[in-house]
Amino acid sequence: MAAATMTPEEARILAAKNKKIKRRNAVNLTLRYTVLILVGIVMVYPLIWMVGATFKDNSEIFTSINPIPKNITFTGYQDAVKSYGGNINIWKAMFNTYSYVIPEVILTVISSTLAAYGFARFKFIGRNVMFALMMAMLFLPQVVLNVPQYLLFNKFGWIGSQYYLPLIVPTAFATETYFVFMLVQFLRNVPHELEEAAEIDGCGSFQTLVRIVVPMIMPAIVSCALFKFMWASNDFMGPLLYVNTPAKYPATIFVKLSMDSDSGFNWNRVLATSLISIMPNILVFFLAQNQFVDGVSAGGVKG
C-alpha cells in the first residue's frame, strides 16, 4: 500500500538507498571474510609447514619457508619409528600415553560433574567457603605443587608405578578446578523445574543427575573432556617426574629422546615423530568440534 502511494522520484531514491545498502553489506562481508582467511592462513601455516618439513632434509628445512618440499624424502618417517632410549618406539610410546590419558579423562569428567552438581544444586554448611577455596586454587601454579606432590606420592610408593598412579589417581578427586567452575556456570542455565519434575516422578538425586542434568550439559562435558585430553596428552613434567622406566615413557618424553645432541638433530625425524604423536589430538578435536564450540560458548552465558 505504501509503495503504491510513492511518487516515481521517491521510488527512485528508495531504490538507490537499497542498492547502496546492499553494496555496503557486500563490501563489509568481503572484508570480513578476507581478514578471517588471512588470520586462518597465519594460524594454520606452521602446521602446514611442519607437515611439509617432515619430507625435507636439514639443509632444505633451514633454507626455505615454502611448505612444499623440492626433494621429497621419507627418511624422517623411517627414522621416526625406530627405537630411541631403550626398549621403546613411537607406537609403544603412544600406547603408553593413552593408557593413562583415557582414564584421566574419564575420571576427570565424572569427578568434576559430581563436584559441580553438588556446588550448584545443594546447600550445605561451608559451601561458599569451599567454593572460594576451590577458586583460589585455580590461581595456584602447578610448579608450586610439584615438590609436595612428589614427596607424597613417593611416600605412597607410587613413583615409577607401571599403572601411572600419580597421574591417574588425583583426577578422581575433581582436582581440575577450571572444569568444576565451567560446569557450575553451565548448570546455572539448566532450569530447576526439570529436576523438580524428575523428583516428583520418583527420581533420586543421582538418577536426576544421570537422566536429566548430564544430557543437558553434555556440550560442556565434551569440552571438559577435550581440554583434559589435550592437556594430559601434552603433559611433559608429570611423566618426567613420576615415570622412571624408559619402556613406560609416553610420547612427550619419547619426542625428547629422539633428539640426539651428540650427533646432531635430523629435524625431519623430530618433526615426523611430533606429527605422529599429535595426530590423535587433531583427530579427536575435529570429531567433537561442534559440541566443543557449543560448550565453550554456552558456558559463558549466565542464565
Side-chain angles (χ1 to χ4, degrees):
M1 183 65 67
T5 60
M6 292 176 59
T7 64
E9 182 65 18
E10 291 174 339
R12 185 185 65 79
I13 294 174
L14 181 61
K17 288 182 178 179
N18 291 336
K19 186 176 181 180
K20 185 178 180 180
I21 292 173
K22 290 181 179 180
R23 187 185 301 114
R24 184 170 58 195
N25 290 339
V27 172
N28 291 337
L29 187 63
T30 301
L31 290 175
R32 189 180 303 128
Y33 275 98
T34 301
V35 172
L36 288 174
I37 290 172
L38 291 176
V39 173
I41 292 174
V42 171
M43 295 182 66
V44 176
Y45 176 78
L47 181 60
I48 297 176
W49 182 89
M50 177 184 177
V51 175
T54 60
F55 299 100
K56 301 177 181 180
D57 55 23
N58 276 3
S59 60
E60 188 177 354
I61 288 175
F62 291 104
T63 57
S64 173
I65 62 172
N66 187 352
I68 301 176
K70 295 179 180 179
N71 301 311
I72 298 178
T73 176
F74 294 95
T75 57
Y77 289 97
Q78 293 171 355
D79 293 339
V81 298
K82 293 181 180 178
S83 175
Y84 296 94
N87 183 25
I88 189 172
N89 54 36
I90 183 59
W91 309 118
K92 188 173 182 179
M94 292 181 67
F95 175 81
N96 292 340
T97 299
Y98 298 109
S99 66
Y100 69 81
V101 167
I102 293 176
E104 279 191 50
V105 172
I106 294 173
L107 291 176
T108 296
V109 168
I110 294 175
S111 61
S112 299
T113 302
L114 291 173
Y117 186 63
F119 279 120
R121 289 296 189 261
F122 296 99
K123 294 182 179 180
F124 50 89
I125 298 175
R127 183 185 67 167
N128 294 334
V129 175
M130 292 178 63
F131 189 77
L133 290 174
M134 183 191 71
M135 293 305 301
M137 295 296 293
L138 184 62
F139 303 99
L140 190 64
Q142 178 61 36
V143 66
V144 177
L145 304 175
N146 284 338
V147 172
Q149 285 181 343
Y150 184 89
L151 294 176
L152 177 65
F153 296 146
N154 187 47
K155 189 173 183 179
F156 289 164
W158 291 356
I159 304 300
S161 169
Q162 61 176 334
Y163 301 110
Y164 305 100
L165 295 180
L167 300 174
I168 296 175
V169 173
T171 61
F173 299 95
T175 54
E176 295 288 354
T177 304
Y178 174 75
F179 298 150
V180 177
F181 174 72
M182 179 179 176
L183 292 173
V184 167
Q185 294 298 106
F186 205 95
L187 278 165
R188 291 177 179 176
N189 299 320
V190 177
H192 288 266
E193 290 77 8
L194 295 176
E195 298 171 54
E196 292 172 356
E199 185 178 354
I200 293 174
D201 289 339
C203 291
S205 299
F206 185 76
Q207 289 177 313
T208 302
L209 172 63
V210 174
R211 297 182 180 182
I212 305 297
V213 176
V214 168
M216 296 196 67
I217 64 172
M218 187 56 67
I221 292 177
V222 172
S223 298
C224 293
L226 281 177
F227 274 123
K228 183 60 181 179
F229 184 85
M230 290 185 288
W231 292 350
S233 300
N234 297 327
D235 183 22
F236 178 79
M237 185 58 66
L240 184 65
L241 288 173
Y242 304 126
V243 181
N244 54 20
T245 304
K248 302 294 290 184
Y249 282 161
T252 51
I253 297 182
F254 180 81
V255 172
K256 179 64 178 68
L257 290 176
S258 67
M259 301 180 183
D260 185 1
S261 58
D262 294 332
S263 60
F265 297 167
N266 289 326
W267 283 104
N268 56 3
R269 182 194 72 202
V270 175
L271 293 172
T273 305
S274 302
L275 181 62
I276 294 172
S277 66
I278 67 173
M279 284 305 297
N281 288 15
I282 298 175
L283 180 62
V284 169
F285 177 80
F286 278 105
L287 289 176
Q289 61 177 326
N290 291 334
Q291 286 188 304
F292 174 76
V293 173
D294 291 342
V296 171
S297 59
V301 180
K302 184 177 180 180

